[in-house]
Amino acid sequence: MRAVWLREFGGPEVLVAGTAPDPVPGEGQVLIEVAHANLTFVETQFRATGLGPFTAALPMVPGNGVGGTVAALGPGADPAWLGRRVVSSTGGSGGYAELAVVPADGLHAVPDGLPLDSATALLADGRTARLLLETAAPAPGERVLVTAAAGGVGTLLVQLATAAGARVLAAAGGPRKLALAAELGAAETADYLRPDWTDGPAPVDLVLDGVGGTLGRSAAGLLRDGGRILSFGLASGSWTDLPAEEAVARDLAVLKLRPAPERIRAATAHVLAEAAAGRLRPVIGRRFPLEHAADAHRAIEARATLGKTLLDVRP
């Protein structure tokens, strides 16, 4: 099968297209004919450093999420899955390939009427956005600041928080990204490429921060006393540093996302159903052929993408 190999950590050029043996499903597993591979910023960080939530020995085929059709079953897998359109995590490896083996109990059926690429775009970012909203629980009328608002998670957070009745302040870099956030329902936008981006907005009740670092720290400065912050990403390279003494002095709640497996599964099913019903729109900003995975990583790292970036594995 066609696949993309990671044989050493480094720049995007270490992702090299080639071939790999066809995988065979084992006990309780299924074989997916992959149509699309989901890309995340975390995968670019892992490729560069070997650090992150994934663990695998080199050489490896990277990729943590796929969408496709179940083509074969291992012993003990439910026969009802055969031929079904599905999305699934891979456990951190094996996604950048024509075929992927995954546990059958981790599959999510794609609802009728929902395109497979849209479902793949929702796999990681959709469940994350849903879990963030469940954890932070913005009340109708609350002001919610979303950083990285034009990214894969951010575009979904803007929609979900707006649907919950919150007034969303979307922060992103540049007019193209701000226009997208406004199109998705943001009541206000702020361009954090401007050094004075925090001067104009009124205080907010909640910060959902996907950037971290200095920018996340600036976002936390917009919180009203008694507000709350929930960080979900470190696109800057580091988490937002909010000193404990400041949090106490301002009565700020620093929320954490620690979902149980059943909540993750329920969140995934929820966003797939919402998208199928037309109430949630995954934004696929860029797509690349499988062999151009290195170019896809370059685009993500250059902040040159909107929403989700996909690898298209099959026509």
Side-chain angles (χ1 to χ4, degrees):
M1 67 175 181
R2 293 181 298 125
V4 173
W5 285 95
L6 176 66
R7 293 185 171 89
E8 60 180 320
F9 299 117
E13 69 279 359
V14 301
L15 295 173
V16 178
T19 60
D22 290 2
V24 177
E27 181 71 32
Q29 295 180 322
V30 303
L31 179 72
I32 297 177
E33 286 188 348
V34 178
H36 310 283
N38 166 53
L39 295 173
T40 64
F41 189 80
V42 170
E43 290 177 12
T44 70
Q45 294 174 310
F46 175 74
R47 182 219 72 233
T49 65
L51 303 176
F54 313 127
T55 55
L58 299 182
M60 64 175 287
V61 174
N64 189 46
V66 297
T69 303
V70 176
L73 306 171
D78 186 346
W81 284 116
L82 192 61
R84 296 285 299 277
R85 297 187 313 145
V86 297
V87 292
S88 177
S89 297
T90 66
S93 64
Y96 297 1
E98 288 186 295
L99 299 169
V101 164
V102 300
D105 60 9
L107 295 173
H108 295 272
V110 176
D112 293 341
L114 182 63
L116 190 51
D117 57 354
S118 293
T120 308
L122 284 167
L123 175 62
D125 293 347
R127 67 188 177 206
T128 299
R130 172 64 179 175
L131 291 166
L132 288 166
L133 261 290
E134 288 179 352
T135 301
E142 282 197 312
R143 289 175 51 77
V144 177
L145 169 57
V146 177
T147 66
V153 176
T155 51
L156 299 171
L157 281 175
V158 169
Q159 296 175 71
L160 292 171
T162 299
R167 183 175 177 85
V168 174
L169 167 59
R176 189 169 67 113
K177 295 182 177 182
L178 298 181
L180 174 61
E183 177 188 333
L184 295 174
E188 305 170 51
T189 60
D191 185 350
Y192 50 49
L193 296 182
R194 298 173 56 94
D196 61 349
W197 75 274
T198 58
D199 291 350
V204 299
D205 302 285
L206 169 66
V207 169
L208 298 171
D209 175 39
V211 178
T214 301
L215 196 146
R217 187 69 184 85
S218 297
L222 283 172
L223 281 168
R224 64 167 176 81
D225 289 354
R228 55 207 192 277
I229 183 171
L230 176 53
S231 295
F232 64 90
L234 62 164
S236 67
S238 62
W239 293 103
T240 294
D241 180 20
L242 182 62
E245 55 270 22
E246 179 181 344
V248 171
R250 297 177 55 200
D251 191 28
L252 300 178
V254 180
L255 306 177
K256 301 293 184 182
L257 188 62
R258 297 192 180 98
E262 58 271 18
R263 280 188 63 205
I264 295 173
R265 186 163 188 84
T268 307
H270 176 84
V271 294
L272 290 173
E274 288 294 287
R279 292 187 291 266
L280 185 63
R281 171 190 160 197
V283 175
I284 302 173
R286 295 287 300 273
R287 46 206 317 160
F288 295 81
L290 174 65
E291 288 78 6
H292 293 183
D295 293 333
H297 275 229
R298 286 188 187 96
I300 292 172
E301 290 180 329
R303 310 295 197 271
T305 60
L306 296 174
K308 172 57 64 178
T309 302
L310 294 182
L311 292 181
D312 290 331
V313 180
R314 296 175 187 271

